[in-house]
């Protein structure tokens, strides 16, 4: 599957569907995240179609990958619910018109307030990360006169074979309860008034390209389901998490059809409703970060192309040494070897090291590709930089879906009131 089906060069200029990125830069400025509705829809349908062999299932987009209202709205139209990890994501999802029952609430550090909020709105499932969290949720539910629908997240101790910082299914990570402890914890939680424990959840990591670790984890979960049933527990739901990877260099993504076939095969006798929480697979290729070249400055080994997007806009390269293709919006066929760097005052603020890229010069527009997932959602205001704008393109139309927001408007600040007189005095 080639990257970015929504993006192609037409008449010498890179377009998002029918809209020139030069036009978007002119109207909205840079840096700006640009999403293709067609690319999002295509990936959402590919994933759903791949799971056709699974009879009873629900799809929940991992909101952390891209919480934009427009993205969530589109995925709701495509039949997706949401996997959330905070009260803020819950608000975003409900604002996008998704039904509360289509929400799975994951996350290793939910607060009692967030648990109560989840029960109030009536989320579909709360994925418990520990015995103690279940005990607290049960008490809240009893107080509210509810039964909290819950799954127990299990850590299967399987290495996903991905980057250490996005591995979640080995026993040394903070996620879930150890699979060996799961039966006893499950029995104890299932007996708590206030909890309606319906099954188990697993998620072993992200950017997983080979199906083997997923299959290994699911097989362990299958054994656990059988063991729990043998202990008299009724298991109706299993959440298989997300994690399918994409290729960031224009090659083949994780084979989603093979994944669907594997899931159908491994879970054939489980007799449960399966939940899926894809994030990256749905959104990564559907977005580019549109940026302008500020300076091209000579360097010892090769030039530095300084762009107006930084690690605060796109953290993945700095955090995980992630590769993202860099391309000129109006490529002229020539290339150059360069370091592509941002304006932030950190050596880790770089997007490419000594890489052959399209030749660009001062003032030219360029894109960083495949940033529809974990791009804007991980942005910060470091260096008091604005948060980048976001634009949705569909066919020949585009719309600003998130305005550029100055750092001062995101974090309104004040002096301690006892300093204010002095400060005003100084200013006068
Ligand atoms: N479900 C749970 C419980 C998760 O923790 C995650 C991701 C997902 C689903 C979605 O996984 P996906 O299908 O997107 O792989 N910021 C990192 C990725 C962190 C993923 C965290 N959990 C990155 O930019 O690579």
């Amino acid at each position: 599957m080639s990257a970015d089906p929504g993006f192609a060069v037409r008449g010498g200029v890179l377009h998002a569907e029918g809209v020139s990125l030069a036009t978007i830069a002119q109207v909205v400025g840079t840096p700006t995240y640009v999403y293709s509705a067609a690319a999002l829809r295509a990936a959402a349908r590919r994933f759903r179609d791949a799971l056709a062999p699974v009879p009873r299932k629900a799809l929940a987009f991992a909101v952390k990958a891209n919480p934009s209202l427009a993205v969530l709205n589109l995925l709701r139209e495509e039949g997706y619910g949401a996997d959330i990890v905070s009260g803020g994501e819950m608000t975003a999802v409900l604002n996008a018109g998704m039904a509360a029952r289509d929400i799975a609430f994951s996350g290793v550090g939910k607060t009692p307030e967030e648990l109560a909020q989840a029960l109030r709105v009536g989320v579909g499932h709360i994925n418990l990360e520990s015995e103690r969290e279940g005990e607290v949720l049960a008490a809240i539910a009893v107080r509210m006169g509810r039964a909290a629908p819950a799954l127990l997240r299990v850590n299967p101790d399987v290495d996903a074979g991905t980057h250490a910082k996005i591995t979640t299914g080995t026993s040394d990570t903070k996620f879930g309860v150890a699979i060996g402890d799961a039966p006893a914890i499950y029995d104890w939680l299932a007996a708590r008034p206030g909890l309606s424990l319906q099954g188990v959840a697993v998620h072993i990591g992200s950017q997983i390209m080979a199906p083997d670790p997923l299959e290994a984890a699911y097989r362990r979960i299958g054994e656990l389901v059988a063991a729990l049933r043998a202990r008299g527990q009724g298991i109706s739901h299993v959440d298989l998490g997300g994690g399918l990877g994409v290729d960031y260099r224009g090659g083949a993504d994780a084979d989603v059809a093979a994944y669907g076939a594997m899931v159908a095969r491994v879970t054939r006798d489980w007799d449960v409703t399966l939940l899926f929480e894809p994030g990256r697979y749905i959104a990564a290729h559907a977005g580019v970060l549109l940026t302008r070249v500020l300076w091209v400055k000579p360097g010892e080994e090769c030039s530095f192309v300084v762009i107006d997007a930084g690690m605060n806009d796109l953290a993945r390269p700095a955090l995980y040494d992630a590769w993202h293709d860099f391309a000129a919006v109006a490529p002229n066929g020539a290339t150059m070897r360069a370091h592509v760097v941002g304006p932030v005052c950190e050596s880790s603020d770089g997007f490419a090291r000594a890489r052959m890229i399209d030749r660009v010069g001062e003032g030219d527009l360029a894109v960083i590709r495949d940033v529809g997932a974990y791009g804007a959602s991980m942005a910060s205001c470091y260096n008091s930089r604005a948060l980048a704008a976001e634009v949705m393109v569909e066919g020949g139309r585009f719309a600003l879906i998130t305005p550029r927001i100055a750092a001062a408007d995101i974090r309104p600040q004040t002096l301690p009131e006892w300093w204010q007189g002095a400060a005003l005095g100084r200013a006068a």
Side-chain angles (χ1 to χ4, degrees):
M1 184 54 51
S2 77
D4 292 345
F7 301 87
V9 175
R10 280 202 209 102
V13 180
L14 186 61
H15 281 58
E17 303 190 29
V19 180
S20 152
L21 290 179
T23 304
I24 293 176
Q26 200 174 17
V27 175
V28 179
T30 54
T32 293
Y33 279 93
V34 180
Y35 306 120
S36 154
L40 276 168
R41 283 215 166 85
R45 289 175 190 178
R46 263 201 314 279
F47 191 86
R48 190 182 51 202
D49 291 349
L51 288 169
V54 174
R56 276 152 46 214
K57 59 180 171 281
L59 307 179
F61 176 63
V63 174
K64 61 175 81 74
N66 192 321
S68 305
L69 174 68
V71 169
L72 297 179
N73 189 68
L74 180 152
L75 291 172
R76 176 181 53 72
E77 286 177 5
E78 292 297 326
Y80 281 71
D83 164 54
I84 61 164
V85 292
S86 70
E89 287 190 350
M90 198 183 313
T91 303
V93 162
L94 295 173
N95 284 344
M98 283 184 183
R101 67 174 176 278
D102 295 332
I103 296 176
F105 192 6
S106 307
V108 81
K110 307 177 206 77
T111 65
E113 291 73 25
E114 287 173 324
L115 292 172
Q117 181 190 359
L119 288 182
R120 234 180 353 261
V121 307
V123 302
H125 282 106
I126 296 170
N127 289 350
L128 297 172
E129 291 273 348
S130 69
E131 189 170 2
R132 176 68 187 140
E133 187 189 19
E135 187 179 13
V136 169
L137 176 63
I140 295 170
V142 165
R143 253 198 322 276
M144 292 173 70
R146 308 263 169 100
L151 305 180
L152 179 63
R153 177 159 176 189
V154 172
N155 187 321
D157 198 19
V158 169
D159 188 345
T162 180
H163 192 286
K165 288 185 182 170
I166 50 177
T167 290
T168 55
T170 51
S171 57
D172 55 347
T173 63
K174 66 184 175 182
F175 300 98
V177 304
I179 192 155
D181 299 339
I185 295 176
Y186 200 99
D187 287 350
W188 189 82
L189 287 173
R192 299 264 77 65
L195 281 193
S196 162
L197 202 54
Q198 300 174 353
V200 294
V202 65
H203 172 81
I204 60 168
S206 194
Q207 184 56 8
I208 301 169
M209 298 304 282
D212 316 18
L214 288 166
E215 176 162 355
Y218 296 171
R219 286 196 182 283
R220 290 197 180 173
I221 293 299
E223 288 161 15
L224 176 64
V225 167
L228 291 171
R229 284 202 172 122
R231 297 162 81 97
Q233 301 296 352
I235 307 287
S236 57
H237 290 75
V238 176
D239 183 337
L240 293 180
L244 276 202
V246 300
D247 194 286
Y248 283 94
R249 299 178 190 235
D253 293 338
D255 185 342
V256 71
Y259 174 76
M262 178 274 281
V263 170
R265 178 164 41 79
V266 171
T267 66
R268 191 170 37 232
D269 302 325
W270 289 13
D271 188 24
V272 295
T273 298
L274 292 176
L275 291 111
F276 296 89
E277 304 175 344
R280 186 189 316 269
Y281 186 85
I282 306 296
H285 291 319
V288 298
L289 179 54
L290 179 58
T291 177
R292 195 177 285 283
V293 176
L294 295 173
W295 313 104
V296 178
K297 91 175 192 178
E300 189 139 293
E301 192 191 350
C302 58
S303 304
F304 289 94
V305 170
V306 185
I307 60 177
D308 68 359
M311 64 189 282
N312 70 298
D313 301 299
L314 177 66
R316 302 194 70 256
L319 264 181
Y320 321 114
D321 296 318
W323 176 288
H324 286 269
D325 281 344
F326 176 88
V329 164
N332 57 20
T335 56
M336 67 196 284
R337 198 152 153 273
H339 307 305
V340 179
V341 300
V344 169
C345 299
E346 298 245 2
S347 301
S348 56
D349 184 32
F351 299 105
R353 258 334 270 175
R355 196 189 289 180
M356 289 305 295
I357 57 169
D358 291 338
R359 177 168 290 282
V360 286
E362 198 175 307
D364 287 350
L365 291 169
V367 292
I368 302 174
R369 288 181 177 273
D370 304 316
V371 297
Y374 307 109
S377 65
M378 293 176 71
S380 78
C381 292
Y382 185 40
N383 280 199
S384 294
R385 287 167 51 78
L387 283 188
E390 294 179 281
V391 162
M392 179 66 74
V393 175
E394 185 166 42
R397 295 186 289 193
F398 73 97
L400 183 66
I401 56 169
T402 315
R404 192 176 312 286
I405 309 177
D409 293 333
I410 298 167
R411 308 175 71 189
Q413 306 196 25
T414 183
L415 286 172
E417 50 83 17
W418 67 91
W419 285 357
Q420 285 178 11
L424 290 175
R426 263 206 303 278

